[in-house]
Every structure is written in C-alpha cells, then in structure tokens.
Amino acid sequence: MMYEPILEGEFDGTEKGLHHEISLFEYADRLPLEEMDGEYWVGFVTGYAIGRQARGLLKNAVVGLSFDERMACYELLLYKRRGCGFEIPSTYLKEIQYWADLGIPWEVCQNSRQLLENGQILRAITEISEHYRISFAVFGYRSLEKFSERLQTARKQRRNSKDYDTAPERAAIEADLRAWMLRYGEESKV
C-alpha cells in the first residue's frame, strides 16, 4: 500500500523510535538526510518521537506481560495500522492495563461454539478476536492471529494442491479453539 511521504515517514519513524534507545539526533547521524524527501523527514521525526514515547510507556507499564511481549503486541498494532487502518495504537497504549486480559464473556463463547458447530471456524475466531480488539486485550488478539494464520496456511495448501485435505488441520484448529475457550471463557471460572 502506498502512502503519502509524510505518513510513510511517520510509520517508519515510529518503528525506528520504538526499537532504539538513542535520541533522534544520534539516529539521524546514520541517515542520508540529503537524499530524503522533506515531507518524509517531517513524518519520520514525528514518528520517531511517537515510537520513543511508546517505548517508555511499554517499558514502565505494570501489566502481566513481559517487556518483549508488550513490544510484540505494540508491533502488531503498528502492523495493523499500516496494513488496514486499524485503530491508532496510542488509543491502545492508554488502555495497556487490559492487554493481558484473556477472559472471554459467556455470550462470545456461546456464539463461537455455535459457529464451530456450523463449520465456520474463521467466523468463530473472528468473534473472539473482535471481543479482544474492542476490550483492548491485545495479547489475546495477537494470540488468536495464530489460529487464523494456521487456517490460511491450510487453505493456501489446498489451493496449491487439490489432493491436500484440510479436514485434519481444520479439526486441530477447532479443537485448539475450543480448548482456548474452555480455558479463558467465563464459565471456566465458575
């Protein structure tokens, strides 16, 4: 996806600021500034500041996740923002206390089970993912991405080879999703 230079610079700057402990001035010494577009540079500077601020918040946050897990969650938010207009990661930083919450309401579990009964695995995954997304539970959202990736991989293999049977992998994903709901669903806490 192509973005305006200022927005592309902000995306890149945020990622660099997130991963570097050094100031912007020290980092800028490494860049070929004369070759950079002016608008890109303005966006990069803004993004670098955002990334450094996010790193500080992630480092000092008191939440049930390690620093590496918090970084991975924030990187997912940045990726989603860049790829499909996901909500702005700063909104999620304000709600970081909920990132490690893996609980799933009873209604969401019931809806997901019904979807699984109808053979709609992706919709069941999406049902739970959507709950995590609107609840700011980024770690749970990130964890469920793995279920979706497994399903996409099976579908891709099926497209590449008509002899490939997706049933065993679909059954394994469904079993893992049911185990996830059993472990984190509200009824498991009763």
Side-chain angles (χ1 to χ4, degrees), residues 9-21:
E10 184 179 329
F11 289 154
D12 292 346
T14 302
E15 290 174 17
K16 300 298 183 196
L18 185 64
H19 292 288
H20 290 90
E21 295 269 347

Side-chain angles (χ1 to χ4, degrees), residues 57-75:
L57 289 170
L58 292 170
K59 197 176 247 188
N60 297 324
V62 178
V63 65
L65 301 172
S66 71
F67 177 67
D68 289 339
E69 289 171 329
R70 291 188 299 260
M71 286 286 283
C73 287
Y74 192 73
E75 288 169 346

Side-chain angles (χ1 to χ4, degrees), residues 10-122:
E10 184 179 329
F11 289 154
D12 292 346
T14 302
E15 290 174 17
K16 300 298 183 196
L18 185 64
H19 292 288
H20 290 90
E21 295 269 347
I22 60 177
S23 73
L24 173 64
F25 298 109
E26 292 173 288
Y27 189 81
D29 284 341
R30 304 174 181 181
L31 300 174
L33 298 178
E34 61 280 346
E35 297 174 17
M36 294 178 115
D37 178 55
E39 286 185 26
Y40 176 88
W41 177 243
V42 168
F44 187 90
V45 168
T46 302
Y48 197 88
I50 291 168
R52 295 288 301 130
Q53 181 182 23
R55 183 180 180 84
L57 289 170
L58 292 170
K59 197 176 247 188
N60 297 324
V62 178
V63 65
L65 301 172
S66 71
F67 177 67
D68 289 339
E69 289 171 329
R70 291 188 299 260
M71 286 286 283
C73 287
Y74 192 73
E75 288 169 346
L76 173 69
L77 294 173
L78 292 177
Y79 171 77
K80 292 290 187 178
R81 174 184 172 206
R82 181 174 259 194
C84 60
F86 198 70
E87 293 178 31
I88 299 174
S90 62
T91 305
Y92 281 79
L93 276 176
K94 293 175 189 167
E95 305 295 342
I96 196 168
Q97 71 270 20
Y98 301 112
W99 282 20
D101 183 14
L102 295 173
I104 308 167
W106 184 83
E107 300 83 20
V108 173
C109 285
Q110 287 301 101
N111 292 342
S112 295
R113 283 190 190 98
Q114 186 62 46
L115 290 166
L116 289 174
E117 294 299 321
N118 295 329
Q120 298 174 332
I121 297 173
L122 184 57

